Amino acid sequence: MEPRKSHIMERGDIILMILGIIVCLSGRVVESRSGGYRPLNNKNSVEVDYTTINSCRKHSAALTDFGGVGDGKTSNTKAFKAAIDHLSQFASDGGALLLVPPGKWLTGSFNLTSHFTLFLHKDAVILASQDESEWPQVEVLPSYGRGRDAPDGRFSSLIFGTNLTDVVITGNNGTIDGQGQSWWDKFRQEKLNSTRPYLIEIMYSDHILISNLTLINSPSWFVHPIYSSTIVIQGLTILAPIDSPNTDGIDPDSCSNTRIEDSFIVSGDDCIAVKSGWDQYGIKFGMPTKQLSIRRVTCISPDSATIALGSEMSGGIEDVRAEDITAINTQSGIRIKTAVGRGGYVKGIYARRLVLKTMKYVFWMTGSYGSHPDPGFDPKALPLIDNINYKDVEADNVTYSARLEGIEGDTFKGICISNATISLTEKPKELQWNCTNVEGATSDVTPKACDLLPEKKDLECPFPEDKLPIDDLKLTSCSNVIQF
Ligand SMILES: *[C@@H]1O[C@H](CO)[C@@H](O)[C@H](O)[C@H]1NC(C)=O
Ligand SMILES: *[C@@H]1O[C@H](CO)[C@@H](O)[C@H](O)[C@H]1NC(C)=O
Ligand SMILES: *[C@@H]1O[C@H](CO)[C@@H](O)[C@H](O)[C@H]1NC(C)=O
Ligand SMILES: *[C@@H]1O[C@H](CO)[C@@H](O)[C@H](O)[C@H]1NC(C)=O
Ligand SMILES: *[C@@H]1O[C@H](CO)[C@@H](O)[C@H](O)[C@H]1NC(C)=O
Ligand SMILES: *[C@@H]1O[C@H](CO)[C@@H](O)[C@H](O)[C@H]1NC(C)=O
Ligand SMILES: *[C@@H]1O[C@H](CO)[C@@H](O)[C@H](O)[C@H]1NC(C)=O
Ligand SMILES: *[C@@H]1O[C@H](CO)[C@@H](O)[C@H](O)[C@H]1NC(C)=O
């Protein structure tokens, strides 16, 4: 931990403050030694305590220093751009923090920079603009080959970053509101030629921390780190209507060394969806998601999975560790979704301590998910599904215990399930374990599993004892005083 900065003014501060007053009187702002902007006509000051993934930020400013207006009506797209452009010059000089003060800050898409913290005050709400001209188009993802929900292209995310290092998006539980309704309506009416924006997307980056925020009503997926590594996602409340289209909570996609923890997600789609590219494009790009830890996450999603692996998994998914997961009124626990043509693999998956209440399926694997980018996929590209381990599962009010559907000629193997107690709903399905083209074993599972997963006495499914590098990553506590 770094020592807190003293707030007693030092001589240098006083000199700089006087200089500041002079400069402010001439209509400009000045930066103090500690980096805070202190324009004369601004009366509020706030102490910002934050955690960073690298070191504390030497420089700081508030959105209002760049013309931001928090009335919920004025567009702040230019203010965010001006602020971040300005603060980017400090990337190699101690980094910078941008405070979003109390208020409602309407904005279109904006881009982040390196060694940068975006900090939302607890009473700050970033409101996503509904004006399409505020959303630039960005290139389609190479591992997808086209836009995910429309072939032509895709809109940039509300908060976007590419080729960055050391980026933090955090706050005292401030809110980012995607105002997704109009996008959902247009999507349903097939009025979009481009893929809807995500709320936050970080690409080709490392050392990313996204924490302590409330994210609501994303136009589509909420948090999408892609082609990135060393990522911590912590303390998020993610809320979307349970019937909103494709509002996945957190989608680590071709990412390594990632930790997702202490989050609460209500969604119209999968709460967490682990991905790595789509069919021939994903196979060619060949970047897996690996070394992923998911802990203490609660999910509500009546029509989707708590944690989905796929369906886009063509670059491979490997070494995923999920523990202390709770789901309530959710369609399934951990679900593997894949299809002929995907190629890739899902292997080395470990889950323990799942508490599931009111579920359609506890265990679900689907080898016939379909959904291809175009007819050019390779029908010979079969996914490898192997070494899947679930233990210490407690589920109640369940309709189907398991639906495990491998692929003919491509058996899903190495499935291990131990110590799972499933209580059924009043009207359960007659066939509780429906297994085809799968291979493995079970132990201490009720109701008794299918013949393809025979009972093996004293079998205990493994969960890795070693740590991932991300578990040793040190977060630093910091404090800056900022005027706005
Ligand atoms: C999130 O907030 C909690 C409670 O205020 C705090 O203890 C924690 O350090 C914060 N985490 C991050 C990563 O900012
Ligand atoms: C953000 O960066 C991307 C990629 O460099 C670019 O295409 C996009 O236009 C930028 N967005 C904004 C709002 O400047
Ligand atoms: C970002 O990084 C990727 C992968 O390293 C590279 O292909 C691309 O050219 C970089 N883009 C920019 C704008 O630097
Ligand atoms: C953050 O705000 C959300 C929505 O208001 C609330 O449900 C959640 O409990 C808050 N989290 C914390 C840590 O205060
Ligand atoms: C989408 O494409 C169709 C056909 O090219 C065109 O008629 C329509 O105006 C486009 N819609 C938008 C919103 O760009
Ligand atoms: C079985 O799992 C339950 C939680 O679902 C746990 O309390 C119990 O200790 C586990 N039993 C063994 C033998 O590990
Ligand atoms: C049990 O699940 C059924 C749906 O299968 C649902 O209607 C009912 O409300 C649930 N009961 C409880 C106590 O949660
Ligand atoms: C069992 O699963 C197979 C493959 O998913 C499906 O076609 C079949 O209808 C299921 N049977 C029952 C009785 O649910």
Side-chain angles (χ1 to χ4, degrees):
M1 280 225 217
E2 295 224 333
R4 280 186 162 207
K5 280 204 184 104
S6 159
H7 300 133
I8 299 164
M9 278 205 198
E10 290 166 25
R11 196 190 306 162
D13 272 324
I14 294 169
I15 293 169
L16 278 169
M17 211 179 99
I18 293 166
L19 276 174
I21 290 167
I22 295 166
V23 176
C24 284
L25 284 173
S26 66
R28 290 161 53 204
V29 292
V30 72
E31 203 182 339
S32 77
R33 192 182 61 92
S34 62
Y37 281 79
R38 297 178 180 188
L40 187 67
N41 54 350
N42 280 349
K43 295 165 199 76
N44 297 316
S45 110
V46 65
E47 180 181 327
V48 171
D49 297 317
Y50 60 102
T51 299
T52 187
I53 200 161
N54 206 307
S55 51
C56 298
R57 305 305 187 200
K58 192 166 145 195
H59 305 267
S60 53
L63 189 62
T64 38
D65 296 336
F66 300 89
V69 179
D71 63 0
K73 295 193 187 91
T74 309
S75 170
N76 290 281
T77 311
K78 288 200 174 91
F80 273 109
K81 183 171 171 22
I84 297 170
D85 281 353
H86 176 77
L87 295 174
S88 67
Q89 68 181 297
F90 302 120
S92 56
D93 176 29
L97 178 146
L98 178 65
L99 170 72
V100 182
K104 288 192 169 148
W105 310 89
L106 184 70
T107 182
S109 167
F110 61 89
N111 284 346
L112 301 173
T113 187
S114 289
H115 303 290
F116 176 75
T117 296
L118 180 70
F119 187 98
L120 273 71
H121 186 279
K122 71 176 169 47
D123 301 319
V125 181
I126 293 181
L127 284 176
S129 167
Q130 308 207 305
D131 174 356
E132 271 184 36
S133 70
E134 296 256 45
W135 300 81
Q137 297 267 327
V138 289
E139 277 175 31
V140 298
L141 297 166
S143 60
Y144 284 72
R146 45 160 275 183
R148 180 66 186 76
D149 48 45
D152 278 9
R154 58 189 209 115
F155 289 102
S156 178
S157 302
L158 180 65
I159 301 180
F160 179 71
T162 189
N163 302 71
L164 304 179
T165 186
D166 181 16
V167 179
V168 180
I169 306 172
T170 189
N172 294 327
N173 205 17
T175 300
I176 305 176
D177 180 351
Q179 305 209 89
Q181 187 68 53
S182 67
W183 293 100
W184 307 331
D185 293 344
K186 283 188 230 170
F187 172 71
R188 288 190 177 115
Q189 294 157 11
E190 296 182 2
K191 280 189 183 155
L192 292 170
N193 295 338
S194 294
T195 293
R196 284 166 287 158
Y198 305 137
L199 203 65
I200 300 175
E201 181 173 72
I202 311 285
M203 230 163 83
Y204 299 119
S205 298
D206 64 80
H207 291 83
I208 300 156
L209 170 63
I210 303 173
S211 61
N212 288 353
L213 294 168
T214 296
L215 310 179
I216 65 176
N217 298 338
S218 176
S220 179
W221 303 349
F222 277 85
V223 181
H224 186 221
I226 181 164
Y227 320 137
S228 294
S229 64
T230 314
I231 303 160
V232 178
I233 296 173
Q234 193 184 75
L236 298 186
T237 301
I238 295 179
L239 307 171
I242 53 172
D243 59 355
S244 53
N246 312 98
T247 48
D248 300 17
I250 304 169
D251 289 16
D253 197 343
S254 295
C255 285
S256 54
N257 205 27
T258 301
R259 199 164 102 199
I260 299 171
E261 57 198 13
D262 300 309
S263 292
F264 177 78
I265 304 170
V266 182
S267 168
D269 208 316
D270 302 321
C271 286
I272 294 178
V274 183
K275 299 179 184 286
S276 65
W278 208 8
D279 287 2
Q280 66 272 33
Y281 306 102
I283 295 170
K284 184 163 177 230
F285 199 76
M287 190 166 185
T289 286
K290 58 183 184 189
Q291 297 178 307
L292 169 64
S293 161
I294 304 170
R295 302 192 279 233
R296 300 181 301 274
V297 168
T298 298
C299 169
I300 299 177
S301 183
D303 296 314
S304 295
T306 309
I307 300 174
L309 305 168
S311 81
E312 304 89 335
M313 38 60 70
S314 304
I317 295 174
E318 186 175 5
D319 194 358
V320 176
R321 306 164 182 202
E323 51 191 326
D324 300 302
I325 305 298
T326 303
I328 303 159
N329 190 19
T330 292
Q331 189 182 39
S332 60
I334 298 174
R335 181 180 179 193
I336 295 175
K337 304 194 240 183
T338 187
V340 168
R342 285 288 192 281
Y345 54 82
V346 176
K347 63 184 185 190
I349 307 301
Y350 308 92
R352 66 178 173 192
R353 299 196 297 260
L354 311 183
V355 177
L356 311 172
K357 296 172 189 296
T358 302
M359 307 292 290
K360 188 161 181 201
Y361 303 94
V362 175
F363 304 107
W364 198 5
M365 300 182 187
T366 307
S368 58
Y369 197 80
S371 164
H372 300 286
D374 56 52
F377 69 90
D378 176 2
K380 288 200 239 47
L382 300 176
L384 168 76
I385 312 299
D386 192 12
N387 191 16
I388 312 297
N389 306 279
Y390 303 136
K391 70 170 170 182
D392 305 343
V393 179
E394 205 185 294
D396 65 35
N397 203 20
V398 166
T399 305
Y400 296 84
S401 295
R403 179 167 175 185
L404 306 178
E405 178 211 341
I407 295 172
E408 176 102 53
D410 179 32
T411 299
F412 293 2
K413 54 189 201 281
I415 298 168
C416 179
I417 303 174
S418 66
N419 185 25
T421 308
I422 300 168
S423 318
L424 304 179
T425 158
E426 272 176 31
K427 290 184 190 156
K429 288 291 162 185
E430 206 171 310
L431 181 60
Q432 276 298 311
W433 285 75
N434 183 0
C435 308
T436 46
N437 302 303
V438 295
E439 198 178 281
T442 52
S443 171
D444 200 8
V445 166
T446 49
K448 191 177 173 297
C450 51
D451 293 342
L452 293 177
L453 302 178
E455 166 88 16
K456 249 195 192 169
K457 217 174 167 311
D458 298 327
L459 170 76
E460 196 189 329
C461 306
F463 192 95
E465 292 298 323
D466 65 324
K467 283 193 200 170
L468 293 174
I470 195 73
D471 293 318
D472 288 323
L473 185 85
K474 208 172 126 280
L475 297 178
T476 309
S477 296
C478 308
S479 178
N480 288 21
V481 173
I482 302 168
Q483 305 217 337
F484 61 91

